[in-house]
Amino acid sequence: MRSPRRCSRNGCPRQAVATLTYVYNESTAVVGPLAAFAEPHTYDLCEPHARSLTAPRGWDVVRHEGEFEPPPPTTDDLVALAEAVREAARPVAPRPPEDDQSGHPSPHTGRRGHLRVIPPNH
């Protein structure tokens, strides 16, 4: 499942609910609802950062007046979740024994450090 977009501010772990865009030729920063897709030259912000954003001297800030809400899950998210649940529910095939009675690797497997080579089933 796709993880929710996070705030672009360094060190902020919160979920993004707003998108910041700059209109350079009008010296304006626009903070609106979260865009459907992450775009280059835009920044995703959590609610506290979207509400407290300030712009450089001489710039205007246009801010969305309504509530910032996290986006609802998309169909892709729900399909990915269903596939992950199906994958987790599949039975695990039994592992072949690693060592024979003498403590040596079985002739069907190879061992090198923490890696093990298991030949394919015929």
Side-chain angles (χ1 to χ4, degrees):
M1 185 165 85
R2 196 174 41 177
S3 63
R5 287 166 32 200
R6 298 284 174 206
C7 183
S8 297
R9 296 289 299 262
N10 285 337
C12 183
R14 294 183 199 99
Q15 182 177 0
V17 296
T19 297
L20 167 64
T21 307
Y22 292 105
V23 183
Y24 291 99
N25 62 349
E26 295 180 17
S27 299
T28 303
V30 180
V31 180
L34 187 64
F37 301 99
E39 298 284 337
H41 310 294
T42 64
Y43 302 89
D44 294 338
L45 300 174
C46 63
E47 186 163 4
H49 285 126
R51 297 263 181 232
S52 66
L53 179 90
T54 60
R57 184 175 296 153
W59 280 60
D60 295 317
V61 176
V62 175
R63 197 180 321 267
H64 173 69
E65 293 297 324
E67 294 295 316
F68 289 114
E69 307 235 350
T74 65
T75 304
D76 292 343
D77 292 337
L78 296 175
V79 169
L81 178 60
E83 288 175 3
V85 169
R86 276 190 221 107
E87 182 69 26
R90 285 192 183 129
V92 178
R95 293 175 57 182
E98 291 183 30
D99 300 328
D100 63 12
Q101 301 293 344
S102 65
H104 293 84
S106 100
H108 300 292
T109 64
R111 191 166 184 94
R112 184 174 184 114
H114 65 283
L115 303 175
R116 183 178 16 190
V117 177
I118 300 173
N121 294 336
H122 296 320

